[in-house]
Amino acid sequence: MTTLDIVIADDEPLARSRLRRLLSGHADLRLTGEAACAAELRAMVIQRAPHLVILDIDMPGEDGLSAAHWLAEMPAPPAVIFVTAHPQFALDAFSAQAAGYLLKPVERDRLLAAIEAARKPTRASASALQSAIEPPRVSVSAGRRARLLPAEDIVAFRAEDKGVTVFARDGQYFVDESLKNLAQRFEPAGFLRVHRAWLVALGRIRALERDAVGRHWIEIAGLPETVPVSRRQLAELHARLRR
């Protein structure tokens, strides 16, 4: 069996020690590093390219969910298994494409089962398979609750300084993801990135306009503002609309 290189990220030394003990004694599991914060994790992942990251959610500074979204954008992302004392983050973990979600104190059998589930299929093939089977969804916060918003309820996404605004049929939401990551998941479901800051649902476009200086804009049903179209995306937009 292929040996998995693993990195643990948890700000609690005792939690890291427990995970280290649970992984010991398995020749196919190799612990290659431990991080106490997201910044240490980022540097370690770039340097050591692990197959799997066991990641705490509640850490000082950048939390584990944000770090997981960053990991998911890597060309060959490691699998991520979350370990946390907070069950309410399960939906958010799903949006970060987690391979597993374990509650502390972590039990050996559950950890080993999650690791085996992360082995096959790979993260890349699992993501592609999920996109082919069911429409993508994004986890958003509604008060104290998290809900999964399906593609058919989304009008557009707009990139912000730190995250993305989701324009939905029933309102606006903010998610801590990148527009690049969302485009990878939603473009197969009928969305197109028409501008560096905009990802829109093609089925909701009502008009394509050109202004006096040659800039193009689209009007989208359910969106209170027009959306700019970059020159490099204009030809692709025309082609997709003709279909």
Side-chain angles (χ1 to χ4, degrees), residues 29-237:
L29 305 178
R30 180 167 54 205
L31 182 61
T32 61
E34 298 182 20
C37 63
E40 289 183 6
L41 172 64
R42 287 174 182 253
M44 198 168 292
V45 168
I46 292 172
Q47 180 183 16
R48 304 181 186 182
H51 303 108
L52 172 67
V53 173
I54 301 177
L55 178 59
D56 185 24
I57 289 181
D58 188 15
M59 295 190 294
E62 181 184 8
D63 64 24
L65 289 169
S66 177
H69 285 302
W70 176 81
L71 291 170
E73 293 179 16
M74 300 183 70
V80 173
I81 295 175
F82 282 114
V83 291
T84 178
H86 307 287
Q88 69 267 26
F89 292 122
L91 288 179
D92 298 293
F94 176 87
S95 76
Q97 304 177 43
Y101 189 90
L102 303 176
L103 293 179
K104 294 179 178 181
V106 177
E107 299 177 4
R108 184 187 298 271
D109 290 346
R110 290 184 180 275
L111 176 61
L112 295 178
I115 291 173
E116 286 307 304
R119 283 183 183 272
K120 296 180 180 179
T122 64
R123 289 288 301 280
S125 61
S127 178
L129 178 61
Q130 181 179 344
S131 297
I133 294 174
E134 61 182 42
R137 298 177 291 179
V138 63
S139 176
V140 299
S141 296
R144 295 185 177 180
R145 298 179 58 194
R147 55 177 289 209
L148 288 174
L149 201 61
E152 60 265 26
D153 288 346
I154 299 171
V155 175
F157 300 91
R158 183 181 66 201
E160 310 293 353
D161 289 338
K162 295 181 179 180
V164 173
T165 295
V166 182
F167 295 89
R169 293 179 180 179
D170 61 352
Q172 299 180 21
Y173 303 90
F174 181 81
V175 295
D176 186 16
E177 287 198 60
S178 73
L179 197 62
K180 177 183 177 181
N181 188 35
L182 289 165
Q184 290 175 346
R185 286 161 42 206
F186 280 84
E187 284 191 340
F191 285 71
L192 179 66
R193 191 165 182 178
V194 297
H195 185 272
R196 61 181 178 82
W198 284 94
L199 174 68
V200 303
L202 292 168
R204 300 188 69 85
I205 293 178
R206 293 294 173 260
L208 172 61
E209 302 176 354
R210 180 181 177 182
D211 64 20
V213 296
R215 295 174 300 188
H216 287 79
W217 306 80
I218 49 179
E219 178 184 329
I220 299 179
L223 196 67
E225 59 187 289
T226 56
V227 174
V229 180
S230 67
R231 291 184 178 180
R232 63 184 301 180
Q233 287 298 102
L234 185 59
E236 177 65 17
L237 176 60

